[in-house]
Amino acid sequence: MSHPVLEAVRRRVTHRQVPLGPAPALPFDAPPGSEAVIQRLWASWAEVGVHAFRCATEAEAIRGVVAWLRERQIRQVLTDARTARSYPGLIPALEDAGLAVMSGTLPREEGPRYLGLGRWATAEAGITEAVAAFADTGTIWVMGGLGGARCASLLPPVHLALIRRAQVYPCMAAWLREARASGALMEWVEESSAMIAITGPSRTSDIEKVLTLGVHGPKEVIAFLIEEAG
Amino acid sequence: MSTPSPAFRARIREGLGNAVLQEALGRATRSFLISRLKALSDLPDAETVRDRARAIRAHTIAHLDRYLEQFAQEVERHGGKVFWAATAREACDYIVSLARSRGIPMVAKSKSMVSEEIGLNHTLEAAGIRVVETDLGEFIIQLAGERPSHIITPAIHKRREDVSQIFQKHLGMPPTHEISEMTAAARRALRQVFLDARMGISGVNFGIAETGTLVLVTNEGNGRMVTTLPPIHVALMGIERVVPTWEDTEILLRVLARSATGQALTAYTSFLTGPRRRGEPDGPEELHVVLVDNGRSRWLGTPLEEALYCIRCGACLNACPVYQAIGGHAYGSVYPGPIGSIVTPMLGEGNGAELAYASSLCGACQEVCPVRIAIPDLLVRWRQMRAGSLLPAWERLGLRGYAWAARHPSVWARIGRWAMALLRRIGREGWLRRGPGPLRAWTAVRDFPVPRRSAFRDWWASRKGDHR
């Protein structure tokens, strides 16, 4: 690869050796899915403004999602194929409850794509699975990839996330270590144009440093933590 | 004489004289500093993390050729297009011609310091393409027709009353003093912009070399919107933003938000690799990464290359007593504050080297810098470079005389007594506010106390017997 900019860089870089020094400790360390990790996640969620429910089973979580939406009198939701694959009971349960469920693919042509986005933008809540959560920061880790929609956790004013206990890691560094060792990190990168770490609702303090939620993304993030393994 | 230009002096006076700005700056910088301290004290091993973060940046800059090439190859392997821009002009031209070729009337932008640096908005608008800033602070500033005054909170100098007026005028918002209502008005206006825009332009916090992944941190979610909804995403990235691996990036993320806003992580950290893939329901159809040099490569291998370690957290602005007093606009540059005073002349922007004097060299900036950039040393280097080229002959001669006298104690003592007598005569009420001749320029921005009694060496000689 050659370009005048790259050539200019090549001419001037020092290539000096820089000792990296000792690796710092993990921000938080405990086995994934352990009670210590769950406790820490709960505290972090409270701090960043994620409202959370603990559910014994997947079925209970789905019932919880439906009940929550009903209580808010929400009628239209946006979800995606990735979430439906991991939680097959979700869309049928939503439809049984009389909710209009949008879950599909934006066309690639500009006009139809624009119309599709416009429809998605009317959703009152978005539902996605999380592929992991990080306890130290209260982060929900969502992915694109096959069937993974970026918009479901972005466009609606509320984002509901489904997470299994075993997916809760002490911190991002611990997840990375495992994903690197197993090869999952590179698989994610190859299949997914977007991996998003969501840490609480959309927020701004741009006016007089006063915190306001939901400026562009969701104003509320609701997590359903499922005890049973998938 | 090392004094600010008349224009810089006028901006400093304006900043110092603006009571509203003073109050807002004081409130914002104080709260940022307190949050930062708390966030870093909650992070285990924080000092080791900072050492590692610095080492990662130093290593990357020392081997920038290798990581840039790898990054560019990986972006392309994942379906993105890379454009190398040697100058601001080349970067702007590429984006304008891309927008023109697709017949794009309007672009949605999230925060990008590089776009300010290269004057992108101006160029796009001159080409008839409307640009909408979507970060709330940037949006306010754009509607007001101003420049950002802080790199993290660009509208730090605006009160809620100002914002209310601006939104009433431009968005037709009913009068209110409720910040939540103002934010809601901006959400409605900008939501339509996100949906309508056929091109989104973003900055880049880090570019991961091993996978060609762009990392963007935002709190509002506008960064996610402009990189997701429009069919074309253009990412503007300074060539120094590259980071070797995901693990390195994670280390830098541990200190970035903590140093910037005092959050452990911002609300959204996006890791974007290439455009929308087969099987993905959404995302941009095209990704263009514009790698901007614009003077950066010139400083590699020089002592100033350390300034390229900067991860743009803004902590040095908040900690700087000069920034706290004069605000971002006084610097008259895109990058304000201590690091801005170093970076601005490196990027060849305006008469930047005089900014090196907008510092008391107190060292607070280096203290808070997450990658421990020796900011005061670099400021002194700029002063030396500027002094070497700009000092008039009489001043160089004077300094040589000063150096000679300082090496000869009896001469030094005599000159000292004369100077004291002179200062006492021309001073008023104990202060010298307007010096004679060449001293006038120096005293224009500083008050000098008139010596009160005798010289220290006379006083010392007279008491010598007492304390021995």
Side-chain angles (χ1 to χ4, degrees):
Chain A
M1 187 175 269
S2 178
H3 184 276
V5 171
L6 194 51
E7 291 308 320
V9 172
R10 282 191 184 123
R11 271 198 307 280
R12 294 188 178 91
V13 285
T14 57
H15 287 158
R16 72 188 169 95
Q17 294 303 308
V18 180
L20 273 186
L26 294 180
F28 178 59
D29 201 6
S34 65
E35 193 53 34
V37 159
I38 301 299
Q39 290 301 328
R40 177 68 184 265
L41 178 67
W42 225 254
S44 298
W45 272 347
E47 205 166 306
V48 299
V50 172
H51 194 69
F53 298 96
R54 252 176 124 150
C55 314
T57 62
E58 187 177 319
E60 188 186 321
I62 290 172
R63 281 197 300 274
V65 168
V66 170
W68 194 93
L69 294 169
R70 272 198 165 147
E71 199 189 310
R72 288 294 184 94
Q73 300 181 326
I74 283 171
R75 308 197 52 83
Q76 300 201 70
V77 297
L78 178 62
T79 184
D80 61 15
R82 168 182 291 290
T83 307
R85 271 204 312 278
S86 299
Y87 298 92
L90 179 68
I91 292 181
L94 293 168
E95 285 174 344
D96 284 352
L99 287 144
V101 182
M102 291 180 266
S103 153
T105 289
L106 286 184
R108 288 188 184 263
E109 308 73 41
E110 210 168 287
R113 180 194 153 98
Y114 179 77
L115 294 175
L117 263 182
R119 263 194 306 278
W120 282 7
T122 62
E124 300 156 278
I127 308 170
T128 73
E129 69 155 352
V131 300
F134 309 135
D136 68 323
T137 50
T139 299
I140 295 167
W141 194 214
V142 301
M143 302 289 183
L146 202 62
R150 303 184 190 193
C151 286
S153 61
L154 179 63
L155 282 181
V158 188
H159 172 210
L160 294 90
L162 294 157
I163 301 151
R164 295 182 198 279
R165 182 182 181 125
Q167 294 173 313
V168 182
Y169 287 75
C171 59
M172 181 183 259
W175 180 85
L176 258 183
R177 191 149 73 186
E178 194 181 298
R180 173 77 75 181
S182 70
L185 177 63
M186 290 303 148
E187 280 168 29
W188 279 119
V189 169
E190 291 311 315
E191 100 164 44
S192 179
S193 70
M195 300 154 80
I196 316 282
I198 299 175
T199 310
S202 155
R203 53 195 283 150
T204 185
S205 304
D206 272 356
I207 305 175
E208 290 190 359
K209 292 277 293 155
V210 174
L211 177 66
T212 316
L213 299 181
V215 54
H216 292 310
K219 190 173 189 165
E220 289 176 89
V221 179
I222 318 289
F224 294 82
L225 182 72
I226 301 159
E227 297 285 340
E228 72 175 352
Chain B
M1 182 104 338
S2 27
T3 55
S5 64
F8 190 20
R9 264 206 309 265
R11 291 196 305 267
I12 291 170
R13 255 197 310 276
E14 205 181 314
L16 288 174
N18 184 341
V20 172
L21 176 69
Q22 296 288 321
E23 197 203 318
L25 277 172
R27 184 174 45 212
T29 53
R30 255 195 318 277
S31 90
F32 274 135
L33 286 172
I34 293 167
S35 314
R36 171 192 167 273
L37 267 182
K38 184 178 179 318
L40 280 171
S41 64
D42 288 349
L43 175 69
D45 229 4
E47 295 309 304
T48 317
V49 178
R50 287 174 71 186
D51 290 339
R52 176 61 80 112
R54 178 183 171 82
I56 290 167
R57 292 301 295 145
H59 169 80
T60 310
I61 297 299
H63 302 271
L64 191 60
D65 52 342
R66 178 174 132 205
Y67 293 121
L68 262 181
E69 182 171 10
Q70 187 187 16
F71 173 77
Q73 282 168 346
E74 286 296 315
V75 169
E76 288 181 344
R77 192 170 72 76
H78 289 104
K81 184 158 174 21
V82 174
F83 180 77
W84 299 85
T87 61
R89 181 66 189 271
E90 284 181 20
C92 287
D93 286 352
Y94 177 77
I95 297 171
V96 167
S97 69
L98 178 66
R100 274 204 172 136
S101 71
R102 309 298 161 85
I104 284 168
M106 184 267 282
V107 302
K109 244 186 98 223
S110 66
K111 195 151 55 184
S112 154
M113 295 302 294
V114 174
S115 77
E116 302 271 349
E117 173 192 324
I118 65 174
L120 178 64
N121 289 13
H122 182 76
T123 316
L124 281 168
E125 268 155 15
I129 298 157
R130 188 174 154 231
V131 184
V132 183
E133 292 287 352
T134 61
D135 172 88
L136 180 60
E138 297 270 358
F139 183 55
I140 294 166
I141 294 304
Q142 187 186 36
L143 291 178
E146 294 177 18
R147 268 185 146 184
S149 64
H150 190 285
I151 63 177
I152 303 296
T153 44
I156 201 169
H157 59 285
K158 291 276 180 230
R159 294 169 307 172
R160 70 176 76 194
E161 294 82 0
D162 305 327
V163 178
S164 180
Q165 291 286 335
I166 294 168
F167 283 3
Q168 286 172 48
K169 183 173 162 206
H170 294 276
L171 307 181
M173 182 187 76
T176 178
H177 286 300
E178 286 300 320
I179 289 175
S180 57
E181 287 175 27
M182 298 176 208
T183 308
R187 179 182 166 110
R188 278 191 299 276
L190 290 171
R191 178 53 70 101
Q192 204 52 49
V193 168
F194 292 130
L195 292 170
D196 290 346
R198 286 156 58 202
M199 179 187 277
I201 299 179
S202 77
V204 175
N205 290 89
F206 304 115
I208 307 178
E210 65 170 330
T211 53
T213 301
L214 308 172
V215 182
L216 268 83
V217 302
T218 70
N219 267 313
E220 298 180 358
N222 62 317
R224 289 187 66 194
M225 295 281 185
V226 305
T227 59
T228 296
L229 304 188
I232 303 174
H233 170 205
V234 177
L236 268 170
M237 174 173 157
I239 54 169
E240 83 285 14
R241 306 274 94 193
V242 73
V243 178
T245 66
W246 278 70
E247 284 80 358
D248 293 335
T249 306
E250 189 277 327
I251 291 282
L252 296 174
L253 286 172
R254 269 191 232 178
V255 288
L256 176 57
R258 286 181 168 96
S259 302
T261 57
Q263 294 169 276
L265 266 185
T266 52
Y268 303 112
T269 310
S270 302
F271 297 77
L272 307 173
T273 316
R276 175 183 180 182
R277 304 288 166 74
R278 189 188 300 271
E280 285 190 323
D282 56 9
E285 305 297 331
E286 287 177 50
L287 168 69
H288 299 254
V289 180
V290 181
L291 286 167
V292 180
D293 181 343
N294 199 29
R296 288 164 172 79
S297 62
R298 205 167 10 142
W299 301 96
L300 293 167
T302 76
L304 281 164
E305 80 167 12
E306 191 177 339
L308 302 176
Y309 301 176
C310 174
I311 59 172
R312 303 277 187 270
C313 69
C316 63
L317 278 61
N318 301 327
C320 177
V322 175
Y323 177 88
Q324 287 170 14
I326 65 178
H329 287 153
Y331 293 82
S333 56
V334 169
Y335 301 100
I339 191 67
S341 298
I342 299 164
V343 169
T344 301
M346 288 170 71
L347 305 178
E349 198 201 323
N351 51 358
E354 69 175 359
L355 294 173
Y357 295 96
S359 167
S360 62
L361 303 179
C362 71
C365 45
Q366 184 172 1
E367 191 69 32
V368 297
C369 176
V371 293
R372 305 192 200 278
I373 297 172
I375 296 173
D377 290 355
L378 300 184
L379 288 168
V380 169
R381 278 193 182 273
W382 265 123
R383 291 185 186 189
Q384 285 166 343
M385 283 193 275
R386 184 168 192 259
S389 63
L390 289 185
L391 278 189
W394 65 263
E395 199 176 331
R396 276 202 299 271
L397 198 67
L399 285 171
R400 216 173 298 157
Y402 176 90
W404 179 83
R407 288 196 304 271
H408 296 79
S410 65
V411 178
W412 182 256
R414 199 166 310 153
I415 293 175
R417 278 187 216 109
W418 291 340
M420 280 173 54
L422 177 69
L423 285 172
R424 269 200 292 268
R425 176 164 303 182
I426 59 175
R428 294 277 174 274
E429 291 156 11
W431 290 95
L432 179 65
R433 296 186 201 277
R434 197 173 164 170
L439 276 182
R440 184 166 303 165
W442 195 85
T443 50
V445 287
R446 303 167 180 88
D447 293 334
F448 191 80
V450 166
R452 279 163 204 267
R453 282 183 289 274
S454 56
F456 173 78
R457 60 171 66 229
D458 295 336
W459 174 85
W460 183 251
S462 73
R463 298 175 62 101
K464 218 167 184 176
D466 302 354
H467 296 285
R468 281 282 163 92

mmCIF file of all heavy atoms in Angstrom, chain B residues 94-117:
data_model
loop_
_atom_site.group_PDB
_atom_site.id
_atom_site.type_symbol
_atom_site.label_atom_id
_atom_site.label_comp_id
_atom_site.label_asym_id
_atom_site.label_seq_id
_atom_site.Cartn_x
_atom_site.Cartn_y
_atom_site.Cartn_z
ATOM 1 N N TYR B 94 -12.901 15.809 -1.209
ATOM 2 C CA TYR B 94 -13.376 14.441 -1.386
ATOM 3 C C TYR B 94 -14.835 14.322 -0.939
ATOM 4 O O TYR B 94 -15.675 13.757 -1.644
ATOM 5 C CB TYR B 94 -12.503 13.471 -0.584
ATOM 6 C CG TYR B 94 -12.984 12.039 -0.657
ATOM 7 C CD1 TYR B 94 -12.743 11.277 -1.795
ATOM 8 C CD2 TYR B 94 -13.693 11.465 0.390
ATOM 9 C CE1 TYR B 94 -13.196 9.968 -1.884
ATOM 10 C CE2 TYR B 94 -14.157 10.154 0.318
ATOM 11 C CZ TYR B 94 -13.907 9.410 -0.822
ATOM 12 O OH TYR B 94 -14.358 8.113 -0.905
ATOM 13 N N ILE B 95 -15.122 14.898 0.238
ATOM 14 C CA ILE B 95 -16.472 14.750 0.786
ATOM 15 C C ILE B 95 -17.486 15.540 -0.049
ATOM 16 O O ILE B 95 -18.581 15.058 -0.331
ATOM 17 C CB ILE B 95 -16.486 15.183 2.272
ATOM 18 C CG1 ILE B 95 -15.572 14.247 3.069
ATOM 19 C CG2 ILE B 95 -17.899 15.153 2.832
ATOM 20 C CD1 ILE B 95 -15.315 14.671 4.490
ATOM 21 N N VAL B 96 -17.085 16.728 -0.478
ATOM 22 C CA VAL B 96 -17.990 17.529 -1.313
ATOM 23 C C VAL B 96 -18.278 16.807 -2.624
ATOM 24 O O VAL B 96 -19.429 16.712 -3.059
ATOM 25 C CB VAL B 96 -17.401 18.936 -1.576
ATOM 26 C CG1 VAL B 96 -18.168 19.640 -2.690
ATOM 27 C CG2 VAL B 96 -17.429 19.773 -0.303
ATOM 28 N N SER B 97 -17.226 16.248 -3.242
ATOM 29 C CA SER B 97 -17.484 15.627 -4.544
ATOM 30 C C SER B 97 -18.288 14.341 -4.369
ATOM 31 O O SER B 97 -19.127 14.009 -5.211
ATOM 32 C CB SER B 97 -16.193 15.408 -5.318
ATOM 33 O OG SER B 97 -15.441 14.409 -4.696
ATOM 34 N N LEU B 98 -18.077 13.639 -3.259
ATOM 35 C CA LEU B 98 -18.896 12.450 -2.982
ATOM 36 C C LEU B 98 -20.364 12.849 -2.844
ATOM 37 O O LEU B 98 -21.259 12.246 -3.443
ATOM 38 C CB LEU B 98 -18.400 11.773 -1.695
ATOM 39 C CG LEU B 98 -19.175 10.545 -1.220
ATOM 40 C CD1 LEU B 98 -19.014 9.400 -2.214
ATOM 41 C CD2 LEU B 98 -18.691 10.097 0.167
ATOM 42 N N ALA B 99 -20.604 13.898 -2.046
ATOM 43 C CA ALA B 99 -21.985 14.344 -1.814
ATOM 44 C C ALA B 99 -22.618 14.817 -3.122
ATOM 45 O O ALA B 99 -23.775 14.521 -3.411
ATOM 46 C CB ALA B 99 -22.009 15.459 -0.773
ATOM 47 N N ARG B 100 -21.835 15.531 -3.915
ATOM 48 C CA ARG B 100 -22.359 16.048 -5.191
ATOM 49 C C ARG B 100 -22.693 14.916 -6.149
ATOM 50 O O ARG B 100 -23.729 14.938 -6.806
ATOM 51 C CB ARG B 100 -21.316 16.953 -5.834
ATOM 52 C CG ARG B 100 -21.403 18.376 -5.343
ATOM 53 C CD ARG B 100 -20.791 19.281 -6.393
ATOM 54 N NE ARG B 100 -21.020 20.670 -6.072
ATOM 55 C CZ ARG B 100 -20.085 21.605 -6.169
ATOM 56 N NH1 ARG B 100 -18.863 21.273 -6.564
ATOM 57 N NH2 ARG B 100 -20.370 22.855 -5.887
ATOM 58 N N SER B 101 -21.791 13.933 -6.200
ATOM 59 C CA SER B 101 -21.992 12.853 -7.171
ATOM 60 C C SER B 101 -23.262 12.060 -6.848
ATOM 61 O O SER B 101 -23.828 11.413 -7.710
ATOM 62 C CB SER B 101 -20.779 11.935 -7.207
ATOM 63 O OG SER B 101 -20.717 11.180 -6.011
ATOM 64 N N ARG B 102 -23.694 12.096 -5.568
ATOM 65 C CA ARG B 102 -24.912 11.377 -5.212
ATOM 66 C C ARG B 102 -26.122 12.309 -5.115
ATOM 67 O O ARG B 102 -27.172 11.906 -4.657
ATOM 68 C CB ARG B 102 -24.754 10.656 -3.864
ATOM 69 C CG ARG B 102 -23.521 9.801 -3.748
ATOM 70 C CD ARG B 102 -23.536 8.671 -4.776
ATOM 71 N NE ARG B 102 -22.191 8.153 -4.968
ATOM 72 C CZ ARG B 102 -21.646 7.228 -4.203
ATOM 73 N NH1 ARG B 102 -22.312 6.716 -3.216
ATOM 74 N NH2 ARG B 102 -20.419 6.808 -4.436
ATOM 75 N N GLY B 103 -25.887 13.573 -5.471
ATOM 76 C CA GLY B 103 -26.993 14.536 -5.426
ATOM 77 C C GLY B 103 -27.558 14.735 -4.031
ATOM 78 O O GLY B 103 -28.770 14.787 -3.835
ATOM 79 N N ILE B 104 -26.675 14.834 -3.057
ATOM 80 C CA ILE B 104 -27.134 14.932 -1.668
ATOM 81 C C ILE B 104 -27.329 16.384 -1.255
ATOM 82 O O ILE B 104 -26.397 17.182 -1.332
ATOM 83 C CB ILE B 104 -26.123 14.207 -0.743
ATOM 84 C CG1 ILE B 104 -26.337 12.707 -0.908
ATOM 85 C CG2 ILE B 104 -26.283 14.631 0.710
ATOM 86 C CD1 ILE B 104 -25.276 11.863 -0.322
ATOM 87 N N PRO B 105 -28.552 16.755 -0.835
ATOM 88 C CA PRO B 105 -28.803 18.147 -0.475
ATOM 89 C C PRO B 105 -28.473 18.471 0.986
ATOM 90 O O PRO B 105 -28.258 19.627 1.338
ATOM 91 C CB PRO B 105 -30.309 18.317 -0.712
ATOM 92 C CG PRO B 105 -30.878 16.944 -0.528
ATOM 93 C CD PRO B 105 -29.785 15.944 -0.815
ATOM 94 N N MET B 106 -28.453 17.455 1.864
ATOM 95 C CA MET B 106 -28.293 17.728 3.301
ATOM 96 C C MET B 106 -27.561 16.574 3.966
ATOM 97 O O MET B 106 -27.828 15.414 3.656
ATOM 98 C CB MET B 106 -29.693 17.901 3.917
ATOM 99 C CG MET B 106 -29.730 18.275 5.372
ATOM 100 S SD MET B 106 -29.835 16.840 6.446
ATOM 101 C CE MET B 106 -31.575 16.416 6.283
ATOM 102 N N VAL B 107 -26.631 16.902 4.872
ATOM 103 C CA VAL B 107 -25.965 15.843 5.633
ATOM 104 C C VAL B 107 -26.178 16.064 7.134
ATOM 105 O O VAL B 107 -26.263 17.199 7.598
ATOM 106 C CB VAL B 107 -24.435 15.759 5.344
ATOM 107 C CG1 VAL B 107 -24.172 15.522 3.879
ATOM 108 C CG2 VAL B 107 -23.718 17.009 5.809
ATOM 109 N N ALA B 108 -26.279 14.946 7.858
ATOM 110 C CA ALA B 108 -26.394 15.003 9.323
ATOM 111 C C ALA B 108 -25.031 14.690 9.907
ATOM 112 O O ALA B 108 -24.387 13.723 9.507
ATOM 113 C CB ALA B 108 -27.418 13.981 9.807
ATOM 114 N N LYS B 109 -24.602 15.524 10.840
ATOM 115 C CA LYS B 109 -23.245 15.380 11.375
ATOM 116 C C LYS B 109 -23.256 15.148 12.873
ATOM 117 O O LYS B 109 -24.007 15.797 13.596
ATOM 118 C CB LYS B 109 -22.476 16.676 11.106
ATOM 119 C CG LYS B 109 -21.298 16.503 10.180
ATOM 120 C CD LYS B 109 -20.508 17.785 10.078
ATOM 121 C CE LYS B 109 -19.320 17.735 10.994
ATOM 122 N NZ LYS B 109 -19.108 18.954 11.721
ATOM 123 N N SER B 110 -22.425 14.236 13.331
ATOM 124 C CA SER B 110 -22.191 14.171 14.774
ATOM 125 C C SER B 110 -20.850 14.836 15.051
ATOM 126 O O SER B 110 -20.143 15.225 14.134
ATOM 127 C CB SER B 110 -22.223 12.725 15.274
ATOM 128 O OG SER B 110 -21.159 11.990 14.737
ATOM 129 N N LYS B 111 -20.522 14.943 16.339
ATOM 130 C CA LYS B 111 -19.377 15.769 16.699
ATOM 131 C C LYS B 111 -18.079 15.223 16.095
ATOM 132 O O LYS B 111 -17.785 14.046 16.184
ATOM 133 C CB LYS B 111 -19.249 15.843 18.221
ATOM 134 C CG LYS B 111 -18.329 16.951 18.661
ATOM 135 C CD LYS B 111 -18.663 17.527 20.013
ATOM 136 C CE LYS B 111 -18.735 16.506 21.124
ATOM 137 N NZ LYS B 111 -19.148 17.134 22.382
ATOM 138 N N SER B 112 -17.309 16.106 15.483
ATOM 139 C CA SER B 112 -16.009 15.740 14.948
ATOM 140 C C SER B 112 -15.121 16.963 15.023
ATOM 141 O O SER B 112 -15.354 17.962 14.351
ATOM 142 C CB SER B 112 -16.149 15.273 13.494
ATOM 143 O OG SER B 112 -14.944 15.493 12.794
ATOM 144 N N MET B 113 -14.078 16.887 15.857
ATOM 145 C CA MET B 113 -13.157 18.012 15.965
ATOM 146 C C MET B 113 -12.397 18.194 14.649
ATOM 147 O O MET B 113 -12.080 19.308 14.254
ATOM 148 C CB MET B 113 -12.171 17.798 17.115
ATOM 149 C CG MET B 113 -12.783 17.755 18.491
ATOM 150 S SD MET B 113 -13.699 19.248 18.927
ATOM 151 C CE MET B 113 -12.390 20.446 18.983
ATOM 152 N N VAL B 114 -12.109 17.063 13.972
ATOM 153 C CA VAL B 114 -11.367 17.164 12.716
ATOM 154 C C VAL B 114 -12.182 17.960 11.688
ATOM 155 O O VAL B 114 -11.629 18.750 10.924
ATOM 156 C CB VAL B 114 -11.002 15.763 12.180
ATOM 157 C CG1 VAL B 114 -10.366 15.872 10.797
ATOM 158 C CG2 VAL B 114 -10.051 15.063 13.127
ATOM 159 N N SER B 115 -13.513 17.775 11.695
ATOM 160 C CA SER B 115 -14.323 18.519 10.723
ATOM 161 C C SER B 115 -14.222 20.016 10.984
ATOM 162 O O SER B 115 -14.211 20.820 10.049
ATOM 163 C CB SER B 115 -15.779 18.053 10.766
ATOM 164 O OG SER B 115 -16.439 18.595 11.884
ATOM 165 N N GLU B 116 -14.122 20.403 12.246
ATOM 166 C CA GLU B 116 -13.932 21.825 12.569
ATOM 167 C C GLU B 116 -12.554 22.276 12.076
ATOM 168 O O GLU B 116 -12.389 23.354 11.524
ATOM 169 C CB GLU B 116 -14.006 22.054 14.082
ATOM 170 C CG GLU B 116 -15.304 21.619 14.731
ATOM 171 C CD GLU B 116 -16.345 22.725 14.728
ATOM 172 O OE1 GLU B 116 -16.006 23.875 14.415
ATOM 173 O OE2 GLU B 116 -17.506 22.408 15.028
ATOM 174 N N GLU B 117 -11.582 21.402 12.334
ATOM 175 C CA GLU B 117 -10.203 21.715 11.963
ATOM 176 C C GLU B 117 -10.077 21.984 10.462
ATOM 177 O O GLU B 117 -9.374 22.916 10.045
ATOM 178 C CB GLU B 117 -9.320 20.523 12.372
ATOM 179 C CG GLU B 117 -7.880 20.593 11.921
ATOM 180 C CD GLU B 117 -7.182 19.234 12.119
ATOM 181 O OE1 GLU B 117 -7.483 18.545 13.105
ATOM 182 O OE2 GLU B 117 -6.350 18.875 11.273
#
